[in-house]
Amino acid sequence: MAEASTVEEAPSLRRRLHIQLAPQAWPSTGLSPLNIAACLLIVTSAALAVLETERGFIEGYYRPVVLAEWVFASIFAVEYLVRLWVAGEDARYSGPFGRLRYAATPAAIIDLLAILPVLLAIGGSEVFLLRLFRLLRLMRLARLGRFSDAMTNIAAAIRSRGPELLLSLGAGLLLLVASSSFLYLVEGGTQPQAFGSIPRAMWWSIATLTTVGYGDVYPITPLGRLFAAVTAITGIGLIAMPTGILAAAFSDVLQTRRRREKPGLTPLS
Amino acid sequence: MAEASTVEEAPSLRRRLHIQLAPQAWPSTGLSPLNIAACLLIVTSAALAVLETERGFIEGYYRPVVLAEWVFASIFAVEYLVRLWVAGEDARYSGPFGRLRYAATPAAIIDLLAILPVLLAIGGSEVFLLRLFRLLRLMRLARLGRFSDAMTNIAAAIRSRGPELLLSLGAGLLLLVASSSFLYLVEGGTQPQAFGSIPRAMWWSIATLTTVGYGDVYPITPLGRLFAAVTAITGIGLIAMPTGILAAAFSDVLQTRRRREKPGLTPLS
Amino acid sequence: MAEASTVEEAPSLRRRLHIQLAPQAWPSTGLSPLNIAACLLIVTSAALAVLETERGFIEGYYRPVVLAEWVFASIFAVEYLVRLWVAGEDARYSGPFGRLRYAATPAAIIDLLAILPVLLAIGGSEVFLLRLFRLLRLMRLARLGRFSDAMTNIAAAIRSRGPELLLSLGAGLLLLVASSSFLYLVEGGTQPQAFGSIPRAMWWSIATLTTVGYGDVYPITPLGRLFAAVTAITGIGLIAMPTGILAAAFSDVLQTRRRREKPGLTPLS
Amino acid sequence: MAEASTVEEAPSLRRRLHIQLAPQAWPSTGLSPLNIAACLLIVTSAALAVLETERGFIEGYYRPVVLAEWVFASIFAVEYLVRLWVAGEDARYSGPFGRLRYAATPAAIIDLLAILPVLLAIGGSEVFLLRLFRLLRLMRLARLGRFSDAMTNIAAAIRSRGPELLLSLGAGLLLLVASSSFLYLVEGGTQPQAFGSIPRAMWWSIATLTTVGYGDVYPITPLGRLFAAVTAITGIGLIAMPTGILAAAFSDVLQTRRRREKPGLTPLS
């Protein structure tokens, strides 16, 4: 209807909005002003959602929080409708069912889930956590400009050494089972609460292999401590291994790129 | 006997089973369907063995667990017998004593140990842990396809820098003795339980050098804390050293491989 | 005034002092004797400022500490005035308002802030912490000789892979929000003090992702521990990622430098 | 005297012993049988010295321990005298005062210190720790064969990037002072025991920056936790930085070596 009444100038406005809203349509590097504003709104709204889980905060600032919620929900609702309207500019979503196809994309569903609960006044203490899903949209927007190159490099490095990284993970899992079994056999009798079964001992084993070391559980018998020392030292190896693989992979990706960009001097041209 | 009565078609069936069961015999990359099924069964059976150590689990699901045990044991028993029968296809295990030679391989012994206790109804709470040894078989199967390349790369990197990695370990052990001795001298009087001897202080030293830091023992005197700070900082070096060595070794392995695959342009052919 | 009365010999003294005090003016590599003395004084004075915060120390050594304070303040006051006077030698601070322009530089303001409180006898227990700001001046002086090269290398490596490092940080922040939200949902009911809100759970999440693992808070439910294990393992990845990126970047910087310094043999000159 | 009476056959025996005892004189790679035995004795004796600090061990095995002490002391005393006698074979220690010059080398002093207390029956509980110094001799012996190359590589890598590594350490120290000062200001009032002065806060800061995280002290105020989170994250950078530098340095050392060993094809020979 609104569309019909603005037949003359609509294409121009929709086009201009499309250029602002669709990251791929923006001609220069980086994000359009509207998308920068959207990013800031998403981050602020997510930060608010995080803070709202703190009882003290919501009790102290009940009114401004509810107000902010409504403001955010309204802005995102308008943004949702505008994106739905503008989607027609995109070749993928043109045609009679184009809008429906756009509304069925994961991005649009995330956007809808993030506003519907507030608009429909659905309560429940965890519903507003849905807004955190919006942070996923930042990842999509991050695939732009200089970050796009960086993401391609990282993805290329990880993919090129995928089997080596998976093997490291596999070795880590075997080590996890082995050290948990040892500690279960050695410490299970002394500390049944912490090492009374292999799944229980795994909690300790994870904390040791990743060098987190909470210190809520640890072996107390000499033999258990010996095994724990071996586990901790091999844990260093498990950190060094993927780090070394990734370092070599990044080095490789950078060199391959450079060689492709500057193909070098052919010996005899 | 069964062998004798199926003289005509046996070669064909045994051959087909051999191709399915022996990883080297499978023509295409990856694992054969039968070996994939064996891998899944091993993982599931190991996971069950891990869970069975938890008293709550076994008390809640006693009957299904015993049933699953028997099912797994039967399947693995059949697998064992089939592998024994099929071993004749392999040139290494052919001839009159071939089966015996196969049965004496570490892989076959592990397989037998993993099923015998259940079949012979030998009790004891730790016997079923033998099934975890089966996980070692996964390592053998992992030496295939794309993972085989990855394993070769990792092994080549570690071997090529073996002396440097051993030196890092040696430096770590010297540091372990040195920091334990210092803390024993400085904190031994104040905290005899934790630092009253060098072997006791080593437990703290390992936790600090590997940056695990359980926090069950830590120095409390100013001098002890000074030594602990130095220990923790050199601990960073002990992590950085092997990581850097491995990174350079991987880089080296990748470049050598590439150079060998694409030997480059000979300047003047 | 003092300046006017020493018209004849001043240029020579001022020039000589300028060469001693301005790091860029010193002809040979390294620092001039006067600047080395200044560095030592800064470090000693900062060490004293650190020690003074310890009540036991100041009560035991009240008189020598106050004396040392006055000695340091006097030396630094003289240094400030000399630097102000000598600034005229520098082309940037010559002319009628040159001294004022020098006094408005961040370095000069830090110098003034570090001595004024003592000279004006402004009390307050934290005022003397201002002297720690002087440590920043060491960074400026460190940009010399062999360290200058090193700093250029480090800065070049970080800048060349800036987007990749920022992406790692961004991925870390997303992981922080995700793991905190999970733990809040899973453990919030059991441990309201530690996981009763996402900001509270973030404290645990930071300690786990950075593998610090204080152990003051940790999950106790099986599901919480499962998520914690996943968080700790991805934390390893978050350490491995920037390390690998930095290693490749340093490698790249070194090779580019070498190629520029020794441009290689031209194939056919 | 003994020397004089064995004029005829002494050179031959002394020469043979010299070849066995001086690592440089041994013709083939690795260690001579006598030096391997010496290494094993040093390690065993050091392990015994470590174990002796444990009261339970010495009370349980008093007689065998004292016996082993005497056996070790006697063997090392004989070794000391033999080395002194054989030193004359070495060009550096020949001549009239050659023996004295040998006895004044750090290695010989360490050897003497490790046996004198036992032989002179000097008591005191810490005297036998002197034997741990003997472990330093292992480092000297490690400079052989394949390990010699490895040590040269490691030393070359560290030296070539010395300024960068020192800068990382310097940045770490600045960060240590900065984070300790912040936590002192923020948490000092709430937890005077742990953060009541900057030196006290440094204990926490070291444990956090190195990601050891004992958990004996940690901030409890929101602002303190925020600063602690920033400290922990920058701590990751402080680990990643030297690791990356070392990785690049090792890579560089390996490539330079290879280029020197195989100088490559000269374009037009």
Side-chain angles (χ1 to χ4, degrees):
Chain A
M1 220 165 74
E3 218 177 322
S5 67
T6 55
V7 168
E8 270 353 282
E9 75 269 38
S12 151
L13 174 64
R14 223 174 72 170
R15 183 106 276 255
R16 266 183 292 147
L17 276 171
H18 174 68
I19 288 166
Q20 282 278 335
L21 288 172
Q24 301 82 13
W26 187 245
S28 57
T29 328
L31 290 170
S32 65
L34 255 183
N35 268 330
I36 290 174
C39 280
L40 290 177
L41 276 174
I42 289 171
V43 169
T44 318
S45 136
L48 188 68
V50 161
L51 281 173
E52 276 176 44
T53 59
E54 176 67 47
R55 195 176 297 265
F57 177 80
I58 213 163
E59 279 169 359
Y61 303 91
Y62 186 72
R63 278 164 165 270
V65 162
V66 168
L67 187 71
E69 285 270 359
W70 272 99
V71 170
F72 280 123
S74 313
I75 295 175
F76 287 131
V78 170
E79 189 209 354
Y80 181 79
L81 292 175
V82 169
R83 281 190 191 272
L84 199 64
W85 174 51
V86 164
E89 288 288 321
D90 194 323
R92 290 172 295 171
Y93 308 122
S94 60
F97 296 105
R99 299 287 147 76
L100 274 176
R101 254 178 295 147
Y102 172 77
T105 58
I109 291 171
I110 286 173
D111 284 3
L112 192 62
L113 279 175
I115 46 173
L116 262 194
V118 183
L119 295 182
L120 300 180
I122 296 170
S125 60
E126 313 329 3
V127 163
F128 53 88
L129 284 176
L130 283 168
R131 265 181 295 152
L132 290 180
F133 280 97
R134 282 210 151 222
L135 287 172
L136 293 174
R137 242 176 63 185
L138 292 181
M139 279 171 72
R140 206 161 28 107
L141 292 173
R143 294 196 64 93
L144 278 173
R146 279 186 304 165
F147 286 105
S148 171
D149 261 23
M151 230 173 197
T152 313
N153 283 346
I154 290 177
I158 293 176
R159 215 176 311 117
S160 78
R161 296 295 117 203
E164 276 93 348
L165 292 171
L166 279 177
L167 270 186
S168 306
L169 197 66
L173 290 178
L174 272 185
L175 215 66
L176 173 67
V177 172
S179 67
S180 309
S181 306
F182 273 125
L183 265 283
Y184 157 66
L185 292 174
V186 171
E187 293 270 330
T190 328
Q191 303 189 76
Q193 190 61 34
F195 296 99
S197 71
I198 297 181
R200 281 160 195 250
M202 276 180 175
W203 173 241
W204 163 85
S205 185
I206 283 272
T208 302
L209 282 174
T210 60
T211 78
V212 167
Y214 289 122
D216 53 340
V217 287
Y218 44 82
I220 49 175
T221 64
L223 200 59
R225 290 190 165 182
L226 190 68
F227 281 131
V230 173
T231 304
I233 290 167
T234 46
I236 298 290
L238 278 185
I239 298 176
M241 191 74 79
T243 309
I245 294 171
L246 276 177
F250 276 115
S251 228
D252 210 43
V253 164
L254 294 184
Q255 277 176 28
T256 313
R257 274 211 137 186
R258 177 157 305 172
R259 218 170 292 147
R260 210 176 299 150
E261 280 158 12
K262 307 176 194 159
L265 305 163
T266 45
L268 285 170
S269 54
Chain B
M1 220 165 71
E3 219 178 320
S5 67
T6 55
V7 167
E8 272 349 283
E9 76 269 34
S12 151
L13 175 65
R14 224 174 70 170
R15 183 106 277 257
R16 265 184 293 147
L17 276 172
H18 175 68
I19 288 166
Q20 282 277 333
L21 288 172
Q24 300 83 10
W26 188 247
S28 57
T29 329
L31 291 168
S32 67
L34 255 183
N35 269 330
I36 290 175
C39 282
L40 290 177
L41 275 174
I42 288 170
V43 169
T44 318
S45 136
L48 189 69
V50 161
L51 281 174
E52 275 176 44
T53 60
E54 176 67 47
R55 194 176 299 264
F57 177 81
I58 213 163
E59 279 170 358
Y61 302 92
Y62 186 74
R63 276 161 168 273
V65 162
V66 169
L67 187 71
E69 286 270 359
W70 271 99
V71 170
F72 279 123
S74 314
I75 295 175
F76 287 131
V78 169
E79 188 208 353
Y80 181 78
L81 293 175
V82 169
R83 280 191 192 272
L84 199 64
W85 173 53
V86 164
E89 287 287 321
D90 194 324
R92 289 171 296 169
Y93 308 123
S94 60
F97 295 104
R99 299 287 148 77
L100 274 176
R101 253 179 294 145
Y102 172 77
T105 59
I109 291 171
I110 286 174
D111 284 5
L112 191 62
L113 280 175
I115 47 172
L116 262 195
V118 182
L119 295 182
L120 301 180
I122 297 170
S125 60
E126 314 326 5
V127 164
F128 53 87
L129 283 176
L130 283 169
R131 265 181 295 149
L132 290 180
F133 280 97
R134 283 212 149 220
L135 287 172
L136 293 174
R137 241 175 64 186
L138 291 182
M139 279 170 71
R140 204 160 29 107
L141 292 173
R143 293 196 65 93
L144 279 172
R146 277 186 305 164
F147 286 105
S148 171
D149 260 23
M151 230 171 196
T152 313
N153 283 345
I154 289 178
I158 293 176
R159 216 176 311 118
S160 78
R161 296 295 117 204
E164 277 92 349
L165 291 171
L166 280 177
L167 270 186
S168 305
L169 197 67
L173 290 178
L174 272 186
L175 215 66
L176 173 67
V177 173
S179 67
S180 308
S181 306
F182 273 125
L183 265 285
Y184 157 64
L185 292 175
V186 171
E187 293 270 330
T190 328
Q191 302 189 77
Q193 190 61 34
F195 296 99
S197 72
I198 297 182
R200 280 161 197 249
M202 275 180 174
W203 173 241
W204 164 84
S205 185
I206 282 272
T208 302
L209 282 173
T210 60
T211 79
V212 167
Y214 289 123
D216 53 339
V217 287
Y218 43 83
I220 50 174
T221 64
L223 200 59
R225 290 190 166 182
L226 189 68
F227 281 130
V230 173
T231 304
I233 291 167
T234 45
I236 298 290
L238 278 184
I239 299 175
M241 192 73 80
T243 310
I245 293 171
L246 276 177
F250 276 115
S251 228
D252 210 43
V253 164
L254 294 184
Q255 277 177 28
T256 312
R257 275 211 135 184
R258 179 158 305 170
R259 218 170 292 145
R260 209 175 301 150
E261 279 158 12
K262 307 177 194 159
L265 305 163
T266 44
L268 284 171
S269 52
Chain C
M1 216 162 80
E3 218 178 323
S5 66
T6 56
V7 167
E8 266 358 277
E9 76 271 36
S12 152
L13 174 64
R14 222 174 71 170
R15 183 107 276 256
R16 265 183 293 146
L17 277 172
H18 175 68
I19 288 166
Q20 282 278 335
L21 288 172
Q24 300 82 13
W26 188 245
S28 58
T29 329
L31 290 169
S32 66
L34 255 184
N35 268 330
I36 289 174
C39 281
L40 290 177
L41 276 174
I42 289 171
V43 168
T44 319
S45 135
L48 189 69
V50 160
L51 281 173
E52 277 176 43
T53 59
E54 176 66 46
R55 195 176 298 264
F57 177 80
I58 213 164
E59 279 168 358
Y61 303 93
Y62 187 72
R63 275 163 168 271
V65 162
V66 168
L67 187 71
E69 286 270 359
W70 271 100
V71 171
F72 280 123
S74 314
I75 295 174
F76 286 132
V78 170
E79 189 208 354
Y80 181 78
L81 292 175
V82 170
R83 280 191 191 273
L84 199 63
W85 174 52
V86 163
E89 287 289 320
D90 194 323
R92 288 172 298 170
Y93 307 123
S94 60
F97 295 105
R99 301 284 148 75
L100 275 176
R101 252 178 296 145
Y102 172 77
T105 57
I109 291 172
I110 286 173
D111 284 5
L112 191 62
L113 280 175
I115 45 171
L116 262 193
V118 183
L119 295 183
L120 300 181
I122 297 171
S125 60
E126 313 329 2
V127 163
F128 54 87
L129 283 176
L130 283 168
R131 266 181 294 151
L132 290 180
F133 280 97
R134 283 209 151 223
L135 288 172
L136 293 175
R137 242 176 63 186
L138 291 182
M139 279 170 72
R140 205 160 28 107
L141 292 173
R143 294 196 64 93
L144 280 173
R146 276 186 306 163
F147 286 104
S148 170
D149 262 23
M151 229 175 198
T152 312
N153 283 347
I154 290 178
I158 293 176
R159 214 176 313 117
S160 79
R161 296 295 116 205
E164 276 93 348
L165 291 171
L166 280 177
L167 270 185
S168 304
L169 196 68
L173 290 178
L174 272 185
L175 215 65
L176 173 67
V177 172
S179 68
S180 309
S181 306
F182 273 124
L183 265 285
Y184 157 65
L185 292 174
V186 170
E187 292 271 330
T190 327
Q191 302 190 76
Q193 190 60 33
F195 296 99
S197 71
I198 297 181
R200 280 159 196 251
M202 275 181 175
W203 173 242
W204 163 85
S205 185
I206 283 272
T208 302
L209 282 174
T210 60
T211 77
V212 168
Y214 289 121
D216 53 338
V217 287
Y218 43 82
I220 50 174
T221 64
L223 199 59
R225 291 188 165 183
L226 189 69
F227 281 130
V230 173
T231 304
I233 291 166
T234 46
I236 297 289
L238 279 184
I239 298 175
M241 192 75 78
T243 309
I245 294 171
L246 276 177
F250 276 114
S251 227
D252 209 44
V253 164
L254 293 184
Q255 277 176 28
T256 312
R257 275 211 136 186
R258 178 157 304 172
R259 219 170 293 146
R260 212 175 298 152
E261 281 157 13
K262 308 176 193 161
L265 305 162
T266 45
L268 284 170
S269 52
Chain D
M1 219 163 74
E3 218 177 323
S5 68
T6 55
V7 166
E8 270 352 282
E9 76 271 35
S12 152
L13 175 64
R14 224 173 71 170
R15 184 105 278 256
R16 264 183 294 144
L17 276 171
H18 174 69
I19 287 166
Q20 283 278 334
L21 287 172
Q24 300 82 13
W26 188 246
S28 58
T29 328
L31 290 168
S32 66
L34 256 184
N35 270 329
I36 289 174
C39 281
L40 289 176
L41 276 174
I42 289 171
V43 169
T44 318
S45 137
L48 189 68
V50 161
L51 281 173
E52 277 175 42
T53 60
E54 176 66 47
R55 194 176 299 264
F57 176 80
I58 213 164
E59 280 169 358
Y61 302 92
Y62 186 73
R63 275 163 167 273
V65 162
V66 168
L67 187 72
E69 286 270 358
W70 271 99
V71 171
F72 279 124
S74 316
I75 296 175
F76 287 132
V78 170
E79 189 208 353
Y80 181 78
L81 292 174
V82 169
R83 281 191 191 272
L84 198 64
W85 173 53
V86 164
E89 287 288 320
D90 194 323
R92 288 172 296 171
Y93 308 122
S94 59
F97 296 105
R99 299 286 147 76
L100 274 176
R101 252 179 296 146
Y102 172 77
T105 58
I109 291 171
I110 287 174
D111 284 5
L112 192 63
L113 280 175
I115 46 171
L116 262 195
V118 182
L119 295 182
L120 301 180
I122 296 171
S125 59
E126 316 325 6
V127 163
F128 54 87
L129 284 175
L130 283 168
R131 265 181 296 151
L132 290 180
F133 280 97
R134 284 211 150 221
L135 287 173
L136 293 175
R137 240 174 65 185
L138 291 182
M139 279 171 72
R140 203 160 30 107
L141 292 172
R143 293 196 65 92
L144 280 173
R146 276 186 306 164
F147 285 105
S148 170
D149 261 22
M151 232 173 194
T152 313
N153 283 345
I154 290 178
I158 292 176
R159 214 176 312 118
S160 78
R161 296 295 116 204
E164 277 92 349
L165 291 171
L166 280 177
L167 270 185
S168 305
L169 196 68
L173 290 178
L174 272 185
L175 215 66
L176 173 67
V177 173
S179 67
S180 308
S181 306
F182 273 124
L183 264 284
Y184 158 64
L185 293 174
V186 171
E187 292 270 330
T190 327
Q191 301 190 77
Q193 190 61 34
F195 296 100
S197 71
I198 296 181
R200 279 159 197 251
M202 275 181 174
W203 173 242
W204 163 86
S205 185
I206 283 274
T208 303
L209 282 173
T210 59
T211 77
V212 167
Y214 289 122
D216 53 339
V217 287
Y218 44 82
I220 51 173
T221 64
L223 200 59
R225 290 189 165 182
L226 188 68
F227 281 129
V230 173
T231 304
I233 291 167
T234 46
I236 297 289
L238 279 185
I239 299 174
M241 192 75 78
T243 310
I245 293 171
L246 276 176
F250 276 115
S251 228
D252 210 44
V253 164
L254 293 183
Q255 277 176 27
T256 313
R257 275 212 136 184
R258 177 157 307 171
R259 221 170 291 146
R260 210 175 300 152
E261 280 157 13
K262 307 177 195 160
L265 305 162
T266 44
L268 285 170
S269 54

